[in-house]
Amino acid sequence: MHETELHDLSDDADYAASQLQGSVSMERSDSVKTTSSAEPEGAELVYLKDNVTIHPSQFASERISGRLKLIKQGLSLLLTWIPYKGHNTNARLSEKDRNLYTIKGISFSDVRSIRRHTPTLGWQYIIVVMSSGLAYPPLYFYSGGVKEFLATIKQHIFIVRSADDANVFLVNDFENPLQRTLSSLELPRAVVANGLSASTSVSASHPAEKQPIDDGSVSGDIASLSLYNGRPRPKVHDPARDLSIQVLEKFSLVTRFARETTSQLLRESLNNGYGANERRDNSLHHQDYSCKPSPDPEKAPEEVPVVPDPLEFDKLSLVWGKPRQSPLGSEEWATFLDSEGRVIDSKALKKRIFYGGVEHRLRREVWAFLLGYHAFDSTCAEREYRRSMKKLEYETIKHQWQSISAEQAKRFTKFRERKGLIDKDVVRTDRSLSFYEGDDNPNVNLLRDILLTYSFYNFDLGYCQGMSDLLSPILYVTEDESESFWCFVAVMERLGPNFNRDQNGMHSQLFALCKLVELLDRPLHNYFKQNDCLNYFFCFRWVLIQFKREFEYEKVMRLWEVFWTHHLSEHLHLYVCVAILKRYRNKIMGEQMDFDTLLKFINELSGYIDLDAILRDAEALCICAGENGAACIPPGTPPSLPVETSLLFPQQDDVL
């Protein structure tokens, strides 16, 4: 059964260009059983497909087409995707940007699964999920070929269709109990393709440590045992226990291990020239320092000098970052309203909230304005009437799932799946708060009912893990089921793309974050570039659920109401990301953190970030970046309202 997916479709010009570009590839065989001179000696090219495309954002002009290959080297099967050079019509993305998405080579011994998506309208695409639980960007097959791609893989390695999802193909998933036991032991080269020894494989691999899905932990998914220089690294504990592989597998990550293990085999270069890493130290002159990972991962790295921050960040925040004010109180709130309850000056109100937030007792009333549930120019009477009408509308939607009988539910797979996922998530959401703690808590039941109702209101998006984190503070503030639902709808109108199956919303934001860091802190950008961290996956949780796990509950609510004002920028959350990274740049660069260490460090910052200082820094950065900063963020990037795509094209590829 294939789900309908109506996103990431092109316009006429893009589609025509892709077909013209793909016509060259149609003259080739998809499965090339020959040794190519472009491949290393002893390597056999078994599959080649041109016009396979990555979508960094929802805009057709930013799509990156390239060539997909499967290469057999001894007993190993390798996958590469290299973007085209010279004849790409993309004007928005530079060659350097395109190279961020290059897949230099991954061994299928490190692959957990391949997820195939077949939308009713649009192109088929695949997502390659690594044993670590992380994944590469979706690869779109503009001129077909997914069936042949999977068939070729099946000829060389053991691959089976998942019993739980017909669109998921498990790699090296042995039914043999002995092989399963060897896999669970995480022995290097013990899990083999087609029962053969993989001792001659280009890279050693550890199968992913299996963890129960119920616990929501991503520590095993992120880095159960990632190899670095042939040694296992400690597991990374991630407090985001509710974000499962179902979310994480949709985002791209090109790990250092995947790049390094095939660097000698695959000769095609990024041509980016990873330059020497520049560092900051106030007591030293401006210098360049070659920053390389410690040869012994078990040994703590020595700190190295760091070049000065080009923006002189501390001084910058004092100049532009205004001091935080006390929260908006009842008496001051009354001065913003006229005799009938209209907000007199919405711009001034937003600015006031931006610098001080709102007292908790006023949040229910003020948040309704910030989120668009009430119009700023509405009267008290009009708002009361709207509440009653929206409550009736909510009850109508809620009745749709409440009226489903047990017999109907047996024949309604999607409803059962979403309900089961919501039931598991709500009992793990903010249970340390008195508002949600205890057995049979009615507020937990309300959380469940609202999320189920939303899955029927927005059936295309449905429910994804992480949504309960966004709803929880809203219900806590409003203490009203209907109002919470409609405020949550308003939030999801802007953050919904974060949860799209192909994760274009997340790709767009993290790409913009990369460009902002490059603009505002070039040495830090160069450091991330040198250490294969330009995909910014370590900021994934920050962006996905708007820093919900990084601050205390009260501070999270204050941060969100600042975001919702859209004062200075509707993408202030990206400047907050930059501000945090700049605050800790000396430690990150001085200790020469690689990706795994950086991810662990970022996760452990939870609860230790000074919110007021970071907001001042983010304000200063936003003002400093100005129009150049705005140009780094593609239109339609969440939390902007998404840009609609009007032209749809049917999928012509066959289903395996």
Side-chain angles (χ1 to χ4, degrees), residues 451-467:
L451 291 170
L452 267 173
T453 304
Y454 181 78
S455 74
F456 272 71
Y457 174 82
N458 187 349
F459 202 81
D460 286 341
L461 184 59
Y463 176 79
C464 297
Q465 290 182 326
M467 289 183 182

Side-chain angles (χ1 to χ4, degrees), residues 20 31 52 90 149 184 235 266 300 303 313 321 324 406 445 586 590:
L20 178 62
S31 298
V52 177
N90 182 354
F149 172 76
S184 66
K235 296 180 183 179
L266 302 166
E303 292 199 12
F313 188 53
R324 307 300 299 170
N445 294 332
N586 282 353

Side-chain angles (χ1 to χ4, degrees), residues 112-260:
R112 173 189 296 174
S113 64
I114 299 172
R115 179 179 288 273
R116 176 192 61 191
H117 295 273
T118 308
T120 303
L121 298 171
W123 303 287
Q124 274 190 323
Y125 61 94
I126 62 167
I127 297 175
V128 178
V129 184
M130 304 302 291
S131 297
S132 63
L134 306 178
Y136 287 86
L139 294 169
Y140 290 80
F141 287 67
Y142 277 6
S143 52
V146 172
K147 180 178 180 180
E148 292 78 6
F149 172 76
L150 294 171
T152 303
I153 293 174
K154 193 172 184 179
Q155 294 174 12
H156 299 279
I157 63 174
F158 191 84
I159 181 172
V160 296
R161 194 188 298 265
S162 170
D164 299 323
D165 189 336
N167 287 315
V168 174
F169 297 85
L170 304 176
V171 179
N172 294 332
D173 187 70
F174 297 98
E175 297 180 351
N176 186 308
L178 175 60
Q179 291 290 354
R180 286 188 180 275
T181 301
L182 292 174
S183 176
S184 66
L185 291 176
E186 299 185 338
L187 301 177
R189 302 178 177 85
V191 180
V192 296
N194 292 329
L196 301 176
S197 171
S199 60
T200 60
S201 173
V202 174
S203 60
S205 67
H206 286 271
E209 179 177 80
K210 296 185 178 181
Q211 303 229 359
I213 295 202
D214 290 2
D215 67 5
S217 173
V218 299
S219 59
D221 293 327
I222 289 179
S224 75
L225 265 182
S226 62
L227 284 180
Y228 185 71
N229 290 341
R231 299 190 184 186
R233 294 185 62 87
K235 296 180 183 179
V236 177
H237 174 68
D238 186 353
R241 53 192 174 86
D242 293 345
L243 301 184
S244 75
I245 183 61
Q246 293 174 331
V247 173
L248 295 181
E249 70 176 12
K250 300 166 190 172
F251 178 71
S252 67
L253 175 65
V254 181
T255 64
R256 172 186 302 282
F257 179 58
R259 289 177 182 267
E260 291 185 350

Side-chain angles (χ1 to χ4, degrees), residues 88 169 186 190 406 450 544:
N88 194 311
F169 297 85
E186 299 185 338
I450 294 170
L544 181 74

Side-chain angles (χ1 to χ4, degrees), residues 308-329:
D309 187 331
L311 290 178
E312 297 186 8
F313 188 53
D314 295 334
K315 295 180 181 179
L316 180 68
S317 62
L318 292 176
V319 174
W320 279 312
K322 297 180 182 179
R324 307 300 299 170
Q325 301 175 12
S326 59
L328 177 70

Side-chain angles (χ1 to χ4, degrees), residues 5 109 119 122 175 184 220 229 275 280 323 326 405 474-475 583 609 632:
E5 302 178 45
S109 61
E175 297 180 351
S184 66
N229 290 341
R280 170 185 176 183
S326 59
S405 66
I474 295 174
L475 179 59
R583 281 276 168 178
I609 303 173
C632 292

